[in-house]
Amino acid sequence: AQKVTQAQTEISVVEKEDVTLDCVYETRDTTYYLFWYKQPPSGELVFLIRRNSFDEQNEISGRYSWNFQKSTSSFNFTITASQVVDSAVYFCALSEASGGGADGLTFGKGTHLIIQP
Amino acid sequence: DAGVTQSPTHLIKTRGQQVTLRCSPKSGHDTVSWYQQALGQGPQFIFQYYEEEERQRGNFPDRFSGHQFPNYSSELNVNALLLGDSALYLCASSLGDREYNEQFFGPGTRLTVL
């Protein structure tokens, strides 16, 4: 069965520091999709990125970057020059092709990121 | 363009009661998934509805049931409430039911069972 592990329960850094959120996944599928979502205090999950298992290219979007390594089953998320507005809970999630999407997303337990001014 | 909406925002029930939560998907979306998020945990998949049918169910008992209407909106029903059902219930919609589709989440319904 699929599993997503986010070992960091809470991270606290000072504004402008760089921070990396770790995500390790388990799946037997060869085709799968990985996602990152942000959950601010309001509770609504906000989609950040989707990556399929055949695309190991790193991606950068502004201050956000993602490092996908199939060899270590990891999909880590880095925020460069963090800002107070980045404070939120961040979730990594997995979707397997074998389920055809009907199995929904499997989420990790989340990492609570606190950016101190 | 309205996003995913859920009602009510908050709900307080007592053990043994029944509850119905409602979700309207993002405009143009036809698939609705429901998740339960306990405090301090990640969302857990309950089930997904596509073409008015339940496609798959996560590890939740039959006390949890749902429905999708022709306009793609959906309801989540929970019978015989237990204290452990207290959680944030999230609805997510997508266009199509494929595993790669981006799911858009609503703000959730906070259910408290006393």
Short mmCIF file of all heavy atoms in Angstrom, two decimals, chain A residues 22-78:
data_model
loop_
_atom_site.label_atom_id
_atom_site.label_comp_id
_atom_site.label_asym_id
_atom_site.label_seq_id
_atom_site.Cartn_x
_atom_site.Cartn_y
_atom_site.Cartn_z
N ASP A 22 10.96 17.86 3.94
CA ASP A 22 11.25 16.54 3.40
C ASP A 22 9.97 15.72 3.18
O ASP A 22 9.01 15.82 3.95
CB ASP A 22 12.17 15.75 4.35
CG ASP A 22 13.53 16.42 4.52
OD1 ASP A 22 13.96 17.13 3.60
OD2 ASP A 22 14.14 16.22 5.58
N CYS A 23 10.00 14.90 2.14
CA CYS A 23 8.90 13.99 1.84
C CYS A 23 9.47 12.69 1.28
O CYS A 23 10.21 12.72 0.31
CB CYS A 23 7.94 14.62 0.83
SG CYS A 23 6.65 13.51 0.23
N VAL A 24 9.12 11.59 1.92
CA VAL A 24 9.52 10.27 1.43
C VAL A 24 8.26 9.47 1.18
O VAL A 24 7.33 9.49 1.98
CB VAL A 24 10.41 9.56 2.48
CG1 VAL A 24 10.71 8.13 2.03
CG2 VAL A 24 11.71 10.33 2.69
N TYR A 25 8.23 8.75 0.07
CA TYR A 25 7.01 8.02 -0.28
C TYR A 25 7.31 6.55 -0.55
O TYR A 25 8.45 6.17 -0.81
CB TYR A 25 6.35 8.66 -1.52
CG TYR A 25 7.22 8.64 -2.75
CD1 TYR A 25 7.14 7.58 -3.66
CD2 TYR A 25 8.13 9.67 -3.00
CE1 TYR A 25 7.95 7.55 -4.77
CE2 TYR A 25 8.94 9.63 -4.12
CZ TYR A 25 8.85 8.58 -4.99
OH TYR A 25 9.66 8.55 -6.10
N GLU A 26 6.26 5.75 -0.47
CA GLU A 26 6.33 4.33 -0.78
C GLU A 26 5.20 3.98 -1.72
O GLU A 26 4.05 4.33 -1.48
CB GLU A 26 6.21 3.48 0.49
CG GLU A 26 7.33 3.65 1.49
CD GLU A 26 7.08 2.83 2.74
OE1 GLU A 26 6.38 1.81 2.66
OE2 GLU A 26 7.57 3.24 3.82
N THR A 27 5.52 3.28 -2.79
CA THR A 27 4.52 2.82 -3.73
C THR A 27 5.07 1.65 -4.53
O THR A 27 6.27 1.57 -4.76
CB THR A 27 4.08 3.94 -4.69
OG1 THR A 27 3.14 3.41 -5.63
CG2 THR A 27 5.25 4.54 -5.44
N ARG A 28 4.18 0.76 -4.95
CA ARG A 28 4.59 -0.36 -5.81
C ARG A 28 4.33 -0.03 -7.28
O ARG A 28 4.76 -0.76 -8.16
CB ARG A 28 3.82 -1.62 -5.42
CG ARG A 28 4.17 -2.12 -4.04
CD ARG A 28 3.39 -3.37 -3.68
NE ARG A 28 3.72 -3.86 -2.34
CZ ARG A 28 3.12 -4.88 -1.75
NH1 ARG A 28 2.16 -5.54 -2.37
NH2 ARG A 28 3.48 -5.25 -0.54
N ASP A 29 3.62 1.05 -7.52
CA ASP A 29 3.33 1.44 -8.89
C ASP A 29 4.58 2.02 -9.55
O ASP A 29 5.42 2.64 -8.89
CB ASP A 29 2.22 2.48 -8.93
CG ASP A 29 0.85 1.86 -8.89
OD1 ASP A 29 0.73 0.73 -8.39
OD2 ASP A 29 -0.10 2.50 -9.36
N THR A 30 4.66 1.85 -10.85
CA THR A 30 5.74 2.51 -11.59
C THR A 30 5.27 3.87 -12.10
O THR A 30 6.09 4.72 -12.42
CB THR A 30 6.18 1.65 -12.79
OG1 THR A 30 5.03 1.36 -13.60
CG2 THR A 30 6.81 0.34 -12.31
N THR A 31 3.97 4.03 -12.17
CA THR A 31 3.40 5.32 -12.58
C THR A 31 2.62 5.91 -11.42
O THR A 31 1.68 5.29 -10.91
CB THR A 31 2.47 5.16 -13.79
OG1 THR A 31 3.19 4.55 -14.88
CG2 THR A 31 1.94 6.52 -14.23
N TYR A 32 3.03 7.06 -11.00
CA TYR A 32 2.36 7.71 -9.88
C TYR A 32 2.61 9.21 -9.97
O TYR A 32 3.41 9.69 -10.78
CB TYR A 32 2.88 7.16 -8.53
CG TYR A 32 4.39 7.17 -8.40
CD1 TYR A 32 5.06 8.27 -7.88
CD2 TYR A 32 5.14 6.05 -8.79
CE1 TYR A 32 6.44 8.27 -7.77
CE2 TYR A 32 6.52 6.05 -8.68
CZ TYR A 32 7.17 7.16 -8.16
OH TYR A 32 8.54 7.15 -8.06
N TYR A 33 1.88 9.94 -9.14
CA TYR A 33 1.97 11.39 -9.15
C TYR A 33 2.19 11.88 -7.72
O TYR A 33 1.59 11.36 -6.77
CB TYR A 33 0.70 12.00 -9.74
CG TYR A 33 0.55 11.65 -11.20
CD1 TYR A 33 0.04 10.42 -11.60
CD2 TYR A 33 0.95 12.53 -12.19
CE1 TYR A 33 -0.06 10.08 -12.93
CE2 TYR A 33 0.86 12.21 -13.53
CZ TYR A 33 0.35 10.97 -13.89
OH TYR A 33 0.26 10.64 -15.22
N LEU A 34 3.01 12.87 -7.60
CA LEU A 34 3.32 13.47 -6.30
C LEU A 34 2.86 14.92 -6.30
O LEU A 34 2.97 15.62 -7.31
CB LEU A 34 4.83 13.39 -6.03
CG LEU A 34 5.38 11.98 -5.87
CD1 LEU A 34 6.89 11.98 -5.99
CD2 LEU A 34 4.95 11.39 -4.54
N PHE A 35 2.36 15.34 -5.17
CA PHE A 35 1.81 16.68 -5.03
C PHE A 35 2.33 17.32 -3.74
O PHE A 35 2.66 16.63 -2.76
CB PHE A 35 0.27 16.63 -4.93
CG PHE A 35 -0.43 15.98 -6.09
CD1 PHE A 35 -0.48 14.60 -6.22
CD2 PHE A 35 -1.07 16.76 -7.04
CE1 PHE A 35 -1.13 14.01 -7.28
CE2 PHE A 35 -1.74 16.17 -8.10
CZ PHE A 35 -1.77 14.79 -8.22
N TRP A 36 2.36 18.64 -3.75
CA TRP A 36 2.55 19.41 -2.51
C TRP A 36 1.37 20.37 -2.40
O TRP A 36 0.97 21.01 -3.38
CB TRP A 36 3.85 20.21 -2.53
CG TRP A 36 5.04 19.43 -2.06
CD1 TRP A 36 5.94 18.76 -2.82
CD2 TRP A 36 5.46 19.26 -0.71
NE1 TRP A 36 6.89 18.17 -2.03
CE2 TRP A 36 6.63 18.46 -0.73
CE3 TRP A 36 4.98 19.70 0.53
CZ2 TRP A 36 7.31 18.10 0.43
CZ3 TRP A 36 5.66 19.34 1.68
CH2 TRP A 36 6.82 18.54 1.63
N TYR A 37 0.81 20.43 -1.17
CA TYR A 37 -0.26 21.36 -0.86
C TYR A 37 0.15 22.19 0.35
O TYR A 37 0.86 21.73 1.23
CB TYR A 37 -1.55 20.61 -0.53
CG TYR A 37 -2.32 20.09 -1.72
CD1 TYR A 37 -2.02 18.85 -2.29
CD2 TYR A 37 -3.37 20.83 -2.28
CE1 TYR A 37 -2.73 18.37 -3.37
CE2 TYR A 37 -4.08 20.36 -3.36
CZ TYR A 37 -3.76 19.13 -3.90
OH TYR A 37 -4.46 18.66 -4.98
N LYS A 38 -0.37 23.41 0.38
CA LYS A 38 -0.16 24.31 1.52
C LYS A 38 -1.49 24.52 2.22
O LYS A 38 -2.51 24.72 1.55
CB LYS A 38 0.37 25.66 1.01
CG LYS A 38 0.49 26.76 2.06
CD LYS A 38 0.97 28.06 1.41
CE LYS A 38 1.08 29.19 2.42
NZ LYS A 38 1.58 30.45 1.81
N GLN A 39 -1.50 24.44 3.54
CA GLN A 39 -2.72 24.67 4.30
C GLN A 39 -2.50 25.80 5.29
O GLN A 39 -1.93 25.61 6.36
CB GLN A 39 -3.17 23.40 5.04
CG GLN A 39 -4.54 23.54 5.70
CD GLN A 39 -5.02 22.24 6.32
OE1 GLN A 39 -4.26 21.53 6.96
NE2 GLN A 39 -6.30 21.92 6.13
N PRO A 40 -2.95 27.01 4.94
CA PRO A 40 -2.84 28.14 5.87
C PRO A 40 -3.83 27.96 7.00
O PRO A 40 -4.66 27.04 6.97
CB PRO A 40 -3.18 29.34 4.98
CG PRO A 40 -4.01 28.78 3.88
CD PRO A 40 -3.55 27.37 3.67
N PRO A 41 -3.78 28.83 8.01
CA PRO A 41 -4.70 28.70 9.15
C PRO A 41 -6.17 28.67 8.76
O PRO A 41 -6.98 28.12 9.49
CB PRO A 41 -4.36 29.93 9.98
CG PRO A 41 -2.93 30.21 9.68
CD PRO A 41 -2.77 29.86 8.22
N SER A 42 -6.52 29.23 7.63
CA SER A 42 -7.92 29.22 7.19
C SER A 42 -8.43 27.81 6.91
O SER A 42 -9.63 27.56 6.89
CB SER A 42 -8.09 30.08 5.94
OG SER A 42 -7.33 29.54 4.87
N GLY A 43 -7.51 26.88 6.67
CA GLY A 43 -7.89 25.48 6.50
C GLY A 43 -7.97 24.98 5.08
O GLY A 43 -7.96 23.78 4.85
N GLU A 44 -8.06 25.85 4.11
CA GLU A 44 -8.23 25.43 2.72
C GLU A 44 -6.90 25.00 2.12
O GLU A 44 -5.94 25.76 2.12
CB GLU A 44 -8.83 26.58 1.92
CG GLU A 44 -9.24 26.25 0.51
CD GLU A 44 -10.09 27.36 -0.09
OE1 GLU A 44 -10.72 28.11 0.67
OE2 GLU A 44 -10.12 27.47 -1.33
N LEU A 45 -6.83 23.80 1.60
CA LEU A 45 -5.61 23.31 0.99
C LEU A 45 -5.37 23.99 -0.36
O LEU A 45 -6.27 24.03 -1.20
CB LEU A 45 -5.69 21.80 0.79
CG LEU A 45 -5.52 20.95 2.06
CD1 LEU A 45 -6.05 19.55 1.82
CD2 LEU A 45 -4.08 20.90 2.46
N VAL A 46 -4.17 24.48 -0.55
CA VAL A 46 -3.82 25.17 -1.78
C VAL A 46 -2.79 24.34 -2.54
O VAL A 46 -1.74 23.99 -2.00
CB VAL A 46 -3.24 26.57 -1.48
CG1 VAL A 46 -2.80 27.25 -2.76
CG2 VAL A 46 -4.25 27.42 -0.72
N PHE A 47 -3.10 24.02 -3.79
CA PHE A 47 -2.21 23.23 -4.63
C PHE A 47 -0.95 24.02 -4.96
O PHE A 47 -1.01 25.19 -5.33
CB PHE A 47 -2.97 22.87 -5.92
CG PHE A 47 -2.12 22.29 -7.01
CD1 PHE A 47 -1.82 20.94 -7.02
CD2 PHE A 47 -1.64 23.09 -8.04
CE1 PHE A 47 -1.06 20.39 -8.04
CE2 PHE A 47 -0.88 22.55 -9.06
CZ PHE A 47 -0.59 21.20 -9.06
N LEU A 48 0.21 23.36 -4.84
CA LEU A 48 1.47 24.01 -5.18
C LEU A 48 2.12 23.41 -6.42
O LEU A 48 2.58 24.13 -7.30
CB LEU A 48 2.45 23.90 -4.00
CG LEU A 48 2.05 24.63 -2.72
CD1 LEU A 48 3.08 24.37 -1.62
CD2 LEU A 48 1.89 26.13 -2.96
N ILE A 49 2.18 22.07 -6.48
CA ILE A 49 2.87 21.44 -7.59
C ILE A 49 2.42 20.00 -7.76
O ILE A 49 1.99 19.36 -6.80
CB ILE A 49 4.40 21.47 -7.41
CG1 ILE A 49 5.10 21.03 -8.71
CG2 ILE A 49 4.82 20.60 -6.24
CD1 ILE A 49 6.60 21.19 -8.69
N ARG A 50 2.51 19.49 -8.98
CA ARG A 50 2.29 18.10 -9.31
C ARG A 50 3.48 17.62 -10.12
O ARG A 50 3.97 18.31 -11.00
CB ARG A 50 1.02 17.93 -10.14
CG ARG A 50 0.81 16.53 -10.71
CD ARG A 50 -0.39 16.51 -11.64
NE ARG A 50 -0.26 17.51 -12.68
CZ ARG A 50 -1.27 18.26 -13.11
NH1 ARG A 50 -2.48 18.11 -12.60
NH2 ARG A 50 -1.08 19.14 -14.06
N ARG A 51 3.93 16.41 -9.84
CA ARG A 51 5.07 15.83 -10.55
C ARG A 51 4.76 14.38 -10.85
O ARG A 51 4.33 13.64 -9.97
CB ARG A 51 6.33 15.95 -9.70
CG ARG A 51 7.55 15.26 -10.24
CD ARG A 51 8.03 15.90 -11.50
NE ARG A 51 8.63 17.21 -11.22
CZ ARG A 51 8.55 18.23 -12.06
NH1 ARG A 51 7.90 18.13 -13.19
NH2 ARG A 51 9.14 19.36 -11.77
N ASN A 52 4.96 13.92 -12.10
CA ASN A 52 4.72 12.50 -12.39
C ASN A 52 6.02 11.72 -12.24
O ASN A 52 7.12 12.29 -12.29
CB ASN A 52 4.08 12.31 -13.77
CG ASN A 52 5.07 12.53 -14.90
OD1 ASN A 52 6.09 11.86 -14.97
ND2 ASN A 52 4.76 13.45 -15.78
N SER A 53 5.89 10.42 -12.10
CA SER A 53 7.03 9.57 -11.77
C SER A 53 8.06 9.46 -12.88
O SER A 53 9.16 8.97 -12.65
CB SER A 53 6.53 8.16 -11.40
OG SER A 53 5.69 7.65 -12.41
N PHE A 54 7.72 9.91 -14.08
CA PHE A 54 8.65 9.81 -15.19
C PHE A 54 9.42 11.11 -15.42
O PHE A 54 10.24 11.18 -16.33
CB PHE A 54 7.91 9.42 -16.46
CG PHE A 54 7.28 8.06 -16.35
CD1 PHE A 54 5.92 7.91 -16.19
CD2 PHE A 54 8.06 6.91 -16.38
CE1 PHE A 54 5.33 6.66 -16.07
CE2 PHE A 54 7.49 5.65 -16.27
CZ PHE A 54 6.12 5.53 -16.11
N ASP A 55 9.13 12.10 -14.62
CA ASP A 55 9.77 13.39 -14.81
C ASP A 55 10.55 13.75 -13.56
O ASP A 55 9.98 14.24 -12.60
CB ASP A 55 8.71 14.45 -15.11
CG ASP A 55 9.32 15.81 -15.37
OD1 ASP A 55 10.57 15.92 -15.38
OD2 ASP A 55 8.55 16.76 -15.57
N GLU A 56 11.87 13.52 -13.60
CA GLU A 56 12.70 13.79 -12.44
C GLU A 56 13.37 15.14 -12.49
O GLU A 56 14.22 15.44 -11.67
CB GLU A 56 13.75 12.69 -12.28
CG GLU A 56 13.18 11.36 -11.83
CD GLU A 56 14.26 10.40 -11.36
OE1 GLU A 56 14.86 10.65 -10.31
OE2 GLU A 56 14.50 9.40 -12.07
N GLN A 57 12.97 15.95 -13.43
CA GLN A 57 13.56 17.28 -13.49
C GLN A 57 13.14 18.09 -12.28
O GLN A 57 11.98 18.07 -11.87
CB GLN A 57 13.09 18.00 -14.76
CG GLN A 57 13.87 17.65 -16.00
CD GLN A 57 13.57 18.60 -17.14
OE1 GLN A 57 12.49 19.16 -17.21
NE2 GLN A 57 14.51 18.78 -18.03
N ASN A 58 14.09 18.79 -11.71
CA ASN A 58 13.75 19.69 -10.62
C ASN A 58 12.98 20.87 -11.18
O ASN A 58 13.10 21.22 -12.35
CB ASN A 58 15.02 20.16 -9.90
CG ASN A 58 15.70 19.04 -9.15
OD1 ASN A 58 15.05 18.08 -8.73
ND2 ASN A 58 17.00 19.14 -8.99
N GLU A 59 12.16 21.45 -10.33
CA GLU A 59 11.35 22.57 -10.79
C GLU A 59 11.51 23.73 -9.83
O GLU A 59 11.62 23.57 -8.63
CB GLU A 59 9.88 22.15 -10.88
CG GLU A 59 8.99 23.29 -11.36
CD GLU A 59 7.69 22.77 -11.94
OE1 GLU A 59 7.62 21.59 -12.34
OE2 GLU A 59 6.73 23.55 -12.00
N ILE A 60 11.53 24.92 -10.42
CA ILE A 60 11.64 26.14 -9.64
C ILE A 60 10.49 27.06 -10.03
O ILE A 60 10.20 27.24 -11.22
CB ILE A 60 12.99 26.86 -9.90
CG1 ILE A 60 14.15 25.96 -9.46
CG2 ILE A 60 13.03 28.18 -9.16
CD1 ILE A 60 15.51 26.53 -9.81
N SER A 61 9.85 27.62 -9.01
CA SER A 61 8.79 28.59 -9.25
C SER A 61 8.97 29.72 -8.25
O SER A 61 8.58 29.61 -7.09
CB SER A 61 7.41 27.93 -9.09
OG SER A 61 6.38 28.88 -9.22
N GLY A 62 9.59 30.78 -8.70
CA GLY A 62 9.87 31.89 -7.79
C GLY A 62 10.78 31.47 -6.67
O GLY A 62 11.89 30.97 -6.90
N ARG A 63 10.32 31.62 -5.44
CA ARG A 63 11.13 31.24 -4.28
C ARG A 63 11.00 29.75 -3.94
O ARG A 63 11.66 29.26 -3.03
CB ARG A 63 10.71 32.07 -3.07
CG ARG A 63 10.95 33.57 -3.22
CD ARG A 63 10.61 34.33 -1.95
NE ARG A 63 9.18 34.23 -1.62
CZ ARG A 63 8.70 33.51 -0.63
NH1 ARG A 63 9.51 32.79 0.13
NH2 ARG A 63 7.39 33.49 -0.39
N TYR A 64 10.12 29.05 -4.64
CA TYR A 64 9.86 27.63 -4.37
C TYR A 64 10.64 26.74 -5.34
O TYR A 64 10.72 27.06 -6.54
CB TYR A 64 8.37 27.30 -4.52
CG TYR A 64 7.43 27.98 -3.56
CD1 TYR A 64 6.06 27.90 -3.75
CD2 TYR A 64 7.88 28.69 -2.46
CE1 TYR A 64 5.17 28.50 -2.88
CE2 TYR A 64 7.01 29.29 -1.58
CZ TYR A 64 5.65 29.19 -1.79
OH TYR A 64 4.77 29.78 -0.91
N SER A 65 11.15 25.66 -4.84
CA SER A 65 11.79 24.67 -5.72
C SER A 65 11.53 23.28 -5.16
O SER A 65 11.32 23.10 -3.96
CB SER A 65 13.30 24.93 -5.85
OG SER A 65 13.94 24.81 -4.61
N TRP A 66 11.53 22.31 -6.07
CA TRP A 66 11.24 20.94 -5.70
C TRP A 66 12.31 20.01 -6.27
O TRP A 66 12.73 20.15 -7.42
CB TRP A 66 9.87 20.52 -6.24
CG TRP A 66 8.74 21.21 -5.55
CD1 TRP A 66 8.05 20.79 -4.46
CD2 TRP A 66 8.17 22.47 -5.91
NE1 TRP A 66 7.09 21.70 -4.11
CE2 TRP A 66 7.14 22.75 -4.98
CE3 TRP A 66 8.42 23.40 -6.92
CZ2 TRP A 66 6.36 23.90 -5.03
CZ3 TRP A 66 7.66 24.55 -6.98
CH2 TRP A 66 6.64 24.79 -6.03
N ASN A 67 12.74 19.07 -5.44
CA ASN A 67 13.76 18.11 -5.83
C ASN A 67 13.16 16.71 -5.76
O ASN A 67 12.85 16.22 -4.67
CB ASN A 67 14.97 18.23 -4.89
CG ASN A 67 16.10 17.31 -5.29
OD1 ASN A 67 15.93 16.11 -5.37
ND2 ASN A 67 17.26 17.88 -5.55
N PHE A 68 13.01 16.07 -6.91
CA PHE A 68 12.40 14.74 -7.00
C PHE A 68 13.50 13.73 -7.30
O PHE A 68 14.18 13.85 -8.32
CB PHE A 68 11.33 14.73 -8.10
CG PHE A 68 10.71 13.39 -8.37
CD1 PHE A 68 10.53 12.46 -7.34
CD2 PHE A 68 10.28 13.06 -9.64
CE1 PHE A 68 9.94 11.24 -7.60
CE2 PHE A 68 9.68 11.84 -9.90
CZ PHE A 68 9.52 10.93 -8.87
N GLN A 69 13.68 12.76 -6.43
CA GLN A 69 14.70 11.73 -6.62
C GLN A 69 14.06 10.36 -6.45
O GLN A 69 13.78 9.93 -5.32
CB GLN A 69 15.85 11.92 -5.64
CG GLN A 69 16.68 13.16 -5.91
CD GLN A 69 17.99 13.17 -5.14
OE1 GLN A 69 18.10 12.53 -4.09
NE2 GLN A 69 19.00 13.87 -5.65
N LYS A 70 13.86 9.65 -7.55
CA LYS A 70 13.27 8.31 -7.49
C LYS A 70 14.17 7.34 -6.77
O LYS A 70 13.69 6.41 -6.12
CB LYS A 70 12.96 7.80 -8.90
CG LYS A 70 11.79 8.53 -9.56
CD LYS A 70 11.53 8.00 -10.94
CE LYS A 70 10.92 6.61 -10.91
NZ LYS A 70 10.49 6.19 -12.27
N SER A 71 15.48 7.53 -6.86
CA SER A 71 16.42 6.58 -6.24
C SER A 71 16.25 6.53 -4.73
O SER A 71 16.51 5.49 -4.10
CB SER A 71 17.86 6.96 -6.60
OG SER A 71 18.16 8.26 -6.12
N THR A 72 15.83 7.64 -4.15
CA THR A 72 15.63 7.69 -2.70
C THR A 72 14.15 7.85 -2.34
O THR A 72 13.82 8.03 -1.17
CB THR A 72 16.43 8.84 -2.08
OG1 THR A 72 16.04 10.08 -2.73
CG2 THR A 72 17.92 8.64 -2.23
N SER A 73 13.29 7.78 -3.35
CA SER A 73 11.83 7.94 -3.14
C SER A 73 11.54 9.20 -2.34
O SER A 73 10.81 9.19 -1.34
CB SER A 73 11.25 6.72 -2.41
OG SER A 73 11.39 5.57 -3.18
N SER A 74 12.13 10.28 -2.78
CA SER A 74 11.93 11.54 -2.06
C SER A 74 11.47 12.65 -3.00
O SER A 74 11.80 12.65 -4.20
CB SER A 74 13.22 11.95 -1.34
OG SER A 74 14.23 12.24 -2.28
N PHE A 75 10.72 13.55 -2.45
CA PHE A 75 10.20 14.69 -3.21
C PHE A 75 10.22 15.88 -2.27
O PHE A 75 9.22 16.24 -1.67
CB PHE A 75 8.80 14.39 -3.72
CG PHE A 75 8.21 15.44 -4.64
CD1 PHE A 75 8.97 16.03 -5.63
CD2 PHE A 75 6.88 15.81 -4.52
CE1 PHE A 75 8.43 16.99 -6.48
CE2 PHE A 75 6.32 16.76 -5.37
CZ PHE A 75 7.10 17.34 -6.34
N ASN A 76 11.38 16.51 -2.15
CA ASN A 76 11.58 17.57 -1.16
C ASN A 76 11.26 18.95 -1.72
O ASN A 76 11.40 19.21 -2.91
CB ASN A 76 13.01 17.54 -0.64
CG ASN A 76 13.34 16.24 0.08
OD1 ASN A 76 12.44 15.55 0.59
ND2 ASN A 76 14.61 15.89 0.12
N PHE A 77 10.87 19.81 -0.83
CA PHE A 77 10.38 21.15 -1.17
C PHE A 77 11.22 22.19 -0.43
O PHE A 77 11.36 22.11 0.78
CB PHE A 77 8.90 21.22 -0.76
CG PHE A 77 8.25 22.57 -0.86
CD1 PHE A 77 8.61 23.49 -1.84
CD2 PHE A 77 7.24 22.91 0.02
CE1 PHE A 77 7.98 24.73 -1.94
CE2 PHE A 77 6.59 24.15 -0.07
CZ PHE A 77 6.97 25.05 -1.04
N THR A 78 11.78 23.13 -1.18
CA THR A 78 12.62 24.17 -0.59
C THR A 78 12.03 25.54 -0.82
O THR A 78 11.63 25.86 -1.94
CB THR A 78 14.05 24.11 -1.16
OG1 THR A 78 14.65 22.86 -0.82
CG2 THR A 78 14.91 25.25 -0.60
#
